[in-house]
Amino acid sequence: MIEIMSSAALCTVQDFGRLTSRQYGVGTAGAMDQLSLAAANIMLGNPENSASIEIPIFPFKVRFTQDCDFSVTGTEGEVSLDNSRLPTWWAYSAKAGQVLTIHQPKKGCRAYLALGGGIDVPIVLGSRSTQLRGEFGGLEGRMLQKGDCLPAIQATDNRPLDFGMTSPLSALAFEQENTIELRVVTAAEYDEYATEAKELFWNNRWKVTPQSNRYGYRLHGTEIRPEKPIETLSHGIVPGVIQIPPGGQPIIQLRDAQPSGGYPKFGTVIEADLWRIGQAAIGKHIVFKEVSLKDAAAAMQQNKRYLDDVKQMISLQEAFV
Amino acid sequence: MIANEEQPFISLLGTSGILLQAPAPLQLETQQKIWGLAEQVESWPNVLEAIPGMNNIMITYLELPEDIEPIKAKLLDAWRHVEGIQKDGKVIDLPVIYGGTECGPHMQDVVTHTGLSIEEIVRRHTAPLYPVYALGSHPGFCYLGGMDSTLATPRRQVPITDLPGGAVSIGGVQTGVSASQGPSGWNTIGRTKMQFFDVNKMPPALCRPGDYIRFCVEEIIQ
């Protein structure tokens, strides 16, 4: 069990999300950076989909009320366990009473705190993720707050952990000159834009505005306008869909977005790159690159290879112990 | 791109979804085919969910195969042969308090836009039996078909941030009832009381596509 000791607004319990309830109007929710969530769990021997805390606000502080294995992934930076410093992307075994502080990151913007066995909140419609609009999932369907207690499914298996991993921010070429490249498959209304509008979209360096969060990333750059107004009827959307509302500034719909929408869609960020948005801090820049489904599948393979490397490191670790 | 008269239009939603847009116009007959297609597609290999929209359907996958041409062809073929489902859905009666600053804060905008009196708006809004075409937007929310087109009022320029649950509203040619508090760009003309979503029930949503909603007058506030 852990007790949250800092203000935890915007922090939520997340797993991979709720993938089969869109037919009831329920959005997926789920971790913004699922690669980091999976890695955090693999490091503890948990199922990859176990729930952890997604943390976009720092410093974040918790107290362990029992001996507990934990890992911190997502951001690159430092944590303190009482007075000793550790890097993030580290697994460790805390003792009852110790206080963990996750500091302001040096790279990335969302940290994941995983606990032994995963965080034990009820599974609702197939997931432990927090559904804010529906007020269910996670802890009472809401953001965390100071004083909340969260139990671990199997806090420790009494094997002291003390090892680290390379983050995908370093392993998978994340940013260059504050610019993050996202690969995109074009969508239904793409061809209703003129060549100049398309070129603007691909050539713009889009700025991540402060109105960017788990619902969506609102970008700012030169406005994109269709040839003539586009009318679409409400239809299902997935996290990663890039909509262009009448104002001409794109919105990337994300994990807490509505499961349906009606604004024109320019394209969709490929699943393999959604973790990059999860680590794209406000003020960073985004460029889009058009890819085929074949390229997208190769990108997914690369993510899988990264997780395979993490698994292999763990098995070496275990052999060593 | 708009679907042409015969062929639906199929497009990608990234690497995890396919969207099939049926030929216009939006009508119950086409929507019944969409329900039929959804039932078929749900059992196709690797499909997570087949979700009816308004005159369209989204099919979700964990990861689409590199070559989706076979799926596209199968979908077009299924669309050609699918039978519309005539669902014997339940009818849900919703007593509505129409108008007034608290329950129907945008009634005046609908009066101004349509040129109709409040009584006439209420009469036309309560006349049809509205089929639930699809669910979406937020847990339990129903997209309804069948609104009298003379009531159509454009979405608001600036969305409101905290529309309460139970708000009866008009957005363009559509009408609906919000299932929980949240943002909305629609014009609120009244309020009802109904729990549309209960996570402890299966299915958790009160309505399914093919059910009907009937609005009736509880009160009209001038």
Side-chain angles (χ1 to χ4, degrees):
Chain A
M1 183 110 94
I2 54 169
E3 182 189 345
I4 292 168
M5 299 182 69
S6 56
S7 154
L10 304 178
C11 297
T12 49
V13 175
Q14 300 291 347
D15 57 15
F16 285 167
R18 212 164 263 111
L19 295 180
T20 53
S21 293
R22 291 186 258 221
Q23 59 191 304
Y24 309 123
V26 177
T28 62
M32 290 278 281
D33 174 356
Q34 307 215 339
L35 202 51
S36 289
L37 174 76
N41 283 316
I42 292 168
M43 287 166 79
L44 299 180
N46 296 345
E48 289 179 30
N49 185 26
S50 301
S52 75
I53 305 177
E54 181 176 285
I55 303 153
I57 296 276
F58 305 93
F60 179 79
K61 200 185 271 197
V62 297
R63 191 174 65 89
F64 294 95
T65 60
Q66 66 186 129
D67 292 0
C68 186
D69 297 340
F70 72 91
S71 61
V72 178
T73 66
T75 54
E76 285 184 9
E78 281 193 321
V79 307
S80 305
L81 188 63
D82 286 343
N83 294 319
S84 52
R85 289 263 179 172
L86 292 169
T88 58
W89 287 90
W90 206 267
Y92 202 80
S93 300
K95 294 289 171 203
Q98 284 193 301
V99 172
L100 173 75
T101 309
I102 305 174
H103 300 288
Q104 188 68 36
K106 294 189 175 74
K107 203 171 171 186
C109 64
R110 284 185 178 82
Y112 292 86
L113 170 60
L115 305 180
I119 289 172
D120 193 6
V121 292
I123 296 175
V124 185
L125 297 178
S127 164
R128 292 187 166 90
S129 285
T130 312
Q131 226 294 337
L132 292 172
R133 176 78 190 252
E135 299 179 345
F136 62 83
L139 185 69
E140 298 166 2
R142 60 168 172 80
M143 294 174 184
L144 300 177
Q145 46 190 243
K146 198 172 175 174
D148 281 344
C149 290
L150 290 166
I153 288 173
Q154 191 190 357
T156 179
D157 58 5
N158 299 312
R159 220 175 18 142
L161 302 179
D162 189 4
F163 65 89
M165 287 293 155
T166 308
S167 87
L169 294 170
S170 293
L172 296 176
F174 176 63
E175 65 180 325
Q176 270 196 319
E177 291 164 7
N178 285 323
T179 303
I180 296 150
E181 184 182 89
L182 300 175
R183 288 163 284 191
V184 168
V185 175
T186 58
E189 286 78 45
Y190 180 68
D191 281 327
E192 292 189 42
Y193 290 83
T195 311
E196 301 85 70
K198 288 177 182 168
E199 280 174 3
L200 259 182
F201 179 82
W202 301 116
N203 296 333
N204 253 334
R205 251 177 108 235
W206 297 98
K207 190 165 188 179
V208 178
T209 70
Q211 290 77 45
S212 298
N213 50 39
R214 288 184 46 83
Y215 291 89
Y217 265 43
R218 287 169 184 265
L219 308 180
H220 185 81
T222 313
E223 290 163 10
I224 306 280
R225 306 272 185 193
E227 299 265 83
K228 53 180 194 291
I230 300 172
E231 297 275 336
T232 55
L233 290 164
S234 300
H235 56 80
I237 59 171
V238 297
V241 163
I242 306 163
Q243 297 177 331
I244 316 244
Q249 304 286 0
I251 303 175
I252 311 176
Q253 296 291 343
L254 294 166
R255 303 284 175 189
D256 280 347
Q258 298 190 353
S260 58
Y263 284 131
K265 303 168 294 304
F266 211 85
T268 309
V269 177
I270 64 173
E271 186 73 25
D273 277 352
L274 290 181
W275 73 271
R276 297 174 190 271
I277 306 175
Q279 294 303 343
I282 286 163
K284 295 280 181 186
H285 286 87
I286 282 174
V287 290
F288 295 112
K289 183 188 175 193
E290 184 179 357
V291 294
S292 65
L293 276 184
K294 195 171 172 220
D295 299 331
M300 190 54 99
Q301 279 310 312
Q302 204 187 8
N303 288 6
K304 283 180 182 151
R305 273 198 300 278
Y306 167 77
L307 288 179
D308 286 343
D309 288 348
V310 174
K311 285 173 201 164
Q312 197 177 353
M313 289 286 290
I314 305 294
S315 59
L316 288 175
Q317 202 75 38
E318 279 166 359
F320 182 71
V321 171
Chain B
M1 192 179 290
I2 312 294
N4 71 26
E5 274 174 34
E6 298 86 31
Q7 284 278 53
F9 178 61
I10 298 178
S11 60
L12 287 175
L13 287 160
T15 50
S16 60
I18 292 179
L19 182 66
L20 178 145
Q21 292 167 276
L26 179 69
Q27 57 184 351
L28 186 58
E29 204 174 272
T30 315
Q31 198 64 25
Q32 287 169 336
K33 279 184 75 179
I34 288 188
W35 301 335
L37 187 65
E39 280 192 6
Q40 273 186 36
V41 171
E42 287 257 289
S43 62
W44 289 6
N46 302 318
V47 167
L48 283 177
E49 229 179 341
I51 306 132
M54 295 296 270
N55 212 42
N56 54 55
I57 181 171
M58 173 170 78
I59 300 148
T60 56
Y61 291 78
L62 264 189
E63 200 182 337
L64 282 171
E66 283 179 32
D67 180 10
I68 66 145
E69 291 308 319
I71 297 179
K72 275 190 178 175
K74 197 173 166 188
L75 262 178
L76 285 176
D77 188 59
W79 178 256
R80 263 192 297 276
H81 297 105
V82 72
E83 300 267 329
I85 297 185
Q86 307 255 2
K87 295 199 186 191
D88 196 13
K90 59 184 177 291
V91 177
I92 293 156
D93 283 298
L94 294 177
V96 179
I97 302 173
Y98 283 98
T101 47
E102 201 179 311
C103 297
H106 310 132
M107 178 61 97
Q108 199 50 50
D109 297 317
V110 179
V111 168
T112 307
H113 183 80
T114 59
L116 302 169
S117 66
I118 294 181
E119 286 74 16
E120 191 53 25
I121 290 168
V122 171
R123 195 187 67 76
R124 293 185 194 189
H125 194 258
T126 50
L129 191 58
Y130 294 96
V132 174
Y133 273 18
L135 271 74
S137 172
H138 56 271
F141 179 78
C142 305
Y143 288 107
L144 304 177
M147 189 179 76
D148 186 328
S149 59
T150 57
L151 296 178
T153 305
R155 289 176 170 83
R156 305 188 67 74
Q157 286 290 325
V158 182
I160 42 172
T161 53
D162 56 349
L163 190 72
V168 178
S169 53
I170 292 175
V173 296
Q174 300 180 63
T175 186
V177 189
S178 61
S180 59
Q181 187 178 324
S184 169
W186 291 20
N187 302 286
T188 303
I189 58 167
R191 187 174 297 174
T192 185
K193 276 191 200 123
M194 177 58 74
Q195 191 182 359
F196 288 97
F197 191 85
D198 181 348
V199 81
N200 298 310
K201 289 186 179 152
M202 191 33 89
L206 174 69
C207 302
R208 297 184 199 215
D211 288 343
Y212 295 90
I213 282 182
R214 187 162 46 202
F215 297 110
C216 51
V217 182
E218 182 177 323
E219 195 185 341
I220 299 177
I221 301 173
Q222 294 290 341

